[in-house]
Amino acid sequence: MKNFKLLFFAVLPVLVVALLTGCKDDNPTPPADDTIEVCGTVTDLDGNALAGVSVSSGSATATTDADGKYCIDVNKEGALTFALTDYESDTKFVNSQTSINVSLVSSVTSETTYIETTLEKECDGGQTVDIIQVGVTDRGQGTGTMTWTAGKTWVLEGLVFVNDGQVLTIEPGTVIKGKSGQGEKASALVVAQGGQLIAEGTADMPIIFTSEADALARDTDGNLCVGGSLASSVRGLWGGVILLGKASLNSATPTRAIEGIPSTEPRGTYGGSSDDDNSGSLKYISIRHGGTDIGAGNEINGLTMGAVGSGTTIDYIEVFANKDDGYEWFGGTVNTKHLVSAYCGDDAFDYDEGWRGKNQFWLAFQEGAGDRGGEHDGGPSDCETCEPFATPVMYNTSFRGQGSGAGKRALTFRDNAGGEYHNSIFWSYGRGVDIEVRASIDDSYTQFQNGILKFTNNIMFDIAGSLFTIGNEDSGDVSAEQAALDAYFNDAANNLQVVDPQLGTDLAPAMAGPAAQAGATPPSDGFFEAAPYIGAFAPGVETWISGWTALSKELN
């Protein structure tokens, strides 16, 4: 009996646990007070009722009738999923609502859709306001000719194109956000050949492209509610802005497919013979936290310009914390002023395929991130010696590297690239200027010999290695080429100074410092401005980046 009692009390807990476990429901039904009936109507975007739509939440299901109506019992904190063949599925959170109406988007249409959502947001000042977000999905028809207003936040749901013949106007102060995603799901705004983007912000109301993860928002009156919330180290959250024109290239074919867009997209073509082509006007724009991968390490640049013509205006643009290059030109003739590349993960300024633009007032700020200040290529690998040569002209630029110990180069000229830098400052790099020489083919050293690669009236400071180097891509003796390069840069007529430029925390030069002195006089051709100083900023006045750029807030 004693042994039986011991066995009984030993087995009893196991029986209790087994009974309790057997009674436990693998899919417990919510308590009655947590279950509500939700009813609604499902339509297409034109308001037509959709029959046969599957409505589900966990194990609960329903189907819409001929009038698109449904009712279903669900957890008041659950979610409803709506699905129908040839339509994109949609999920809505219940949040104790007893009525939920949905409009489904056809997955077979070519129409671009604009879906508005109103959100309540607490502003930096503590007040709560309505924020209207517009999700933009392009299925082939592009944006159309329309205006994006500052009272709404426009969200790019994938690649959104301004198609041939369309004009997209963006109001000052407008915020555009890119949906996160890589590969085919990458988001970007792309101006196709023949399309135009008229995006002219102001110093007080810049147009801002950023990630959907950024809290930045304006209310329905266009007033700033929440400032930017992402750090300068956050990169690659969405794509960027891409302009595609009809100007000429030096590639083996007159047109090419732009990098950063899947090659299967026909609207990604650039190139032609119209060097005065006009892709629009961009002023006072900040492009932030972009550079997502589209595959195999191929990232989107902050602002990509493929064969953009000289009829296009590019002025007062910032690329901030992009994962790849800040700017990249593929051929074309577009001219630029007042460009900022800050905290980008690769090169600040990159050109290729015979770009021939005029440029003034550039800033590369690479503290803590980046590779070269400028990566300058002449042509693609299948046509390095083709014309037109890459011969852009730059006046009044300031390039600040990661630091002299980071081993990065200020400028690299290769693949037969030419180009000119005048009245500019380069500091905090591991190396200065590299010019490639090749034994078997014309190269950037050839362009230097022919006088279309120039470097005059510039300041270099805090450069750890050689200021000027012949980059030898082939084996062989390049001592003669190096000697010729040294002689050029030691020639007093070219006015190279190796001296502290004496810049302030705002990057403006001290009034009596070396950078405040006049350099070479820019050409009087209607584009270049008189600027009797060296570098991007004038002494004694507020810098042109002040206020509207994200970088100016980092520097203060």
Side-chain angles (χ1 to χ4, degrees):
M1 178 62 70
K2 180 178 179 181
N3 290 337
F4 174 81
K5 289 181 178 179
L6 290 174
L7 177 62
F8 174 82
F9 287 108
V11 172
L12 181 61
V14 177
L15 293 173
V16 172
V17 170
L19 287 171
L20 291 175
T21 302
C23 295
K24 190 174 181 179
D25 189 350
D26 290 335
N27 296 292
T29 302
D33 56 356
D34 284 342
T35 300
I36 61 174
E37 183 183 54
V38 178
C39 297
T41 303
V42 183
T43 66
D44 62 18
L45 293 179
D46 294 323
N48 301 309
L50 293 178
V53 177
S54 171
V55 186
S56 61
S57 179
S59 59
T61 61
T63 303
T64 59
D65 62 18
D67 296 321
K69 298 184 181 298
Y70 73 93
C71 286
I72 187 172
D73 292 335
V74 297
N75 189 316
K76 64 182 180 181
E77 301 301 330
L80 293 178
T81 297
F82 301 83
L84 180 64
T85 302
D86 293 335
Y87 286 83
E88 296 183 4
S89 61
D90 196 2
T91 298
K92 300 294 184 184
F93 290 101
V94 177
N95 292 331
S96 300
Q97 301 175 89
T98 57
S99 178
I100 298 179
N101 299 320
V102 175
S103 294
L104 296 184
V105 178
S106 172
S107 59
V108 297
T109 182
S110 63
E111 294 182 1
T112 297
T113 57
Y114 293 85
I115 307 297
E116 285 195 6
T117 304
T118 301
L119 308 172
E120 280 193 352
K121 185 176 283 284
E122 183 177 342
C123 297
D124 290 338
Q127 72 276 26
T128 300
V129 301
D130 284 342
I131 303 295
I132 298 177
Q133 288 193 169
V134 183
V136 185
T137 304
D138 178 8
R139 293 178 177 80
Q141 291 190 353
T143 62
T145 294
M146 67 175 302
T147 299
W148 291 1
T149 57
K152 299 177 181 179
T153 299
W154 304 80
V155 182
L156 306 174
E157 308 266 359
L159 297 178
V160 175
F161 286 79
V162 182
N163 285 357
D164 183 9
Q166 299 176 350
V167 179
L168 174 62
T169 302
I170 301 180
E171 288 185 345
T174 303
V175 175
I176 302 96
K177 296 187 176 184
K179 199 83 171 175
S180 62
Q182 297 183 345
E184 294 182 355
K185 295 183 178 180
S187 61
L189 181 65
V190 185
V191 181
Q193 289 185 310
Q196 287 192 331
L197 174 62
I198 308 299
E200 297 182 341
T202 67
D204 294 328
M205 294 282 282
I207 294 166
I208 298 175
F209 288 82
T210 188
S211 163
E212 65 170 343
D214 194 341
L216 181 73
R218 292 187 180 276
D219 64 20
T220 54
D221 294 323
N223 301 309
L224 186 64
C225 169
V226 179
S229 62
L230 301 179
S232 61
S233 58
V234 178
R235 306 178 183 91
L237 299 186
W238 67 292
V241 178
I242 301 173
L243 307 180
L244 303 176
K246 300 178 181 180
S248 55
L249 316 171
N250 66 3
S251 60
T253 58
T255 62
R256 292 169 67 90
I258 197 69
E259 74 172 31
I261 295 178
S263 58
T264 55
E265 172 53 72
R267 293 174 293 177
T269 299
Y270 67 102
S273 58
S274 301
D275 283 348
D276 60 352
D277 190 39
N278 184 354
S279 295
S281 179
L282 284 68
K283 294 182 177 180
Y284 286 104
I285 297 175
S286 181
I287 304 168
R288 307 176 183 178
H289 310 293
T292 191
D293 288 304
I294 69 160
N298 184 9
E299 298 98 4
I300 299 176
N301 306 301
L303 177 58
T304 300
M305 290 161 278
V308 177
S310 60
T312 308
T313 299
I314 305 290
D315 198 3
Y316 292 102
I317 310 295
E318 176 190 45
V319 177
F320 183 86
N322 200 72
K323 186 178 179 181
D324 197 30
D325 301 330
Y327 302 82
E328 186 159 8
W329 293 261
F330 295 91
T333 54
V334 65
N335 307 314
T336 75
K337 282 184 179 176
H338 304 102
L339 302 189
V340 180
S341 177
Y343 302 108
C344 293
D346 199 1
D347 309 312
F349 299 96
D350 191 341
Y351 62 76
D352 200 350
E353 298 182 9
W355 175 49
R356 306 170 306 286
K358 303 172 185 177
N359 310 276
Q360 193 173 22
F361 310 120
W362 283 5
L363 171 63
F365 193 85
Q366 298 178 286
E367 183 178 284
D371 192 7
R372 297 173 177 88
E375 179 181 302
H376 302 334
D377 300 316
S381 59
D382 62 349
C383 213
E384 289 185 12
T385 59
C386 294
E387 295 187 32
F389 297 137
T391 56
V393 177
M394 281 68 74
Y395 275 81
N396 298 98
T397 73
S398 294
F399 282 56
R400 196 271 191 219
Q402 284 199 49
S404 57
K408 304 300 182 181
R409 306 169 188 178
L411 301 175
T412 293
F413 293 89
R414 65 188 184 189
D415 299 340
N416 209 30
E420 302 180 19
Y421 279 91
H422 307 283
N423 302 351
S424 296
I425 306 172
F426 304 86
W427 78 105
S428 292
Y429 285 96
R431 291 169 61 175
V433 180
D434 287 359
I435 299 177
E436 178 191 63
V437 65
R438 298 287 299 274
S440 58
I441 193 172
D442 283 348
D443 46 38
S444 290
Y445 181 75
T446 303
Q447 306 291 28
F448 166 71
Q449 288 180 305
N450 292 338
I452 55 177
L453 195 165
K454 299 179 181 179
F455 194 87
T456 70
N457 295 282
N458 299 317
I459 292 175
M460 303 185 80
F461 178 67
D462 191 26
I463 309 292
S466 300
L467 297 181
F468 308 100
T469 305
I470 289 292
N472 184 12
E473 293 294 327
D474 302 316
S475 60
D477 183 9
V478 294
S479 58
E481 289 87 348
Q482 184 65 55
L485 191 62
D486 293 340
Y488 175 87
F489 290 114
N490 289 325
D491 187 341
N494 294 321
N495 193 27
L496 171 67
Q497 301 180 67
V498 182
V499 62
D500 185 347
Q502 298 181 28
L503 306 181
T505 56
D506 63 352
L507 306 180
M511 287 295 293
Q517 311 309 308
T521 302
S524 299
D525 59 0
F527 174 80
F528 290 104
E529 301 176 22
Y533 50 87
I534 297 175
F537 304 112
V541 296
E542 187 175 59
T543 63
W544 51 262
I545 65 172
S546 181
W548 66 276
T549 65
L551 175 61
S552 66
K553 297 175 176 61
E554 295 281 330
L555 297 177
N556 291 334

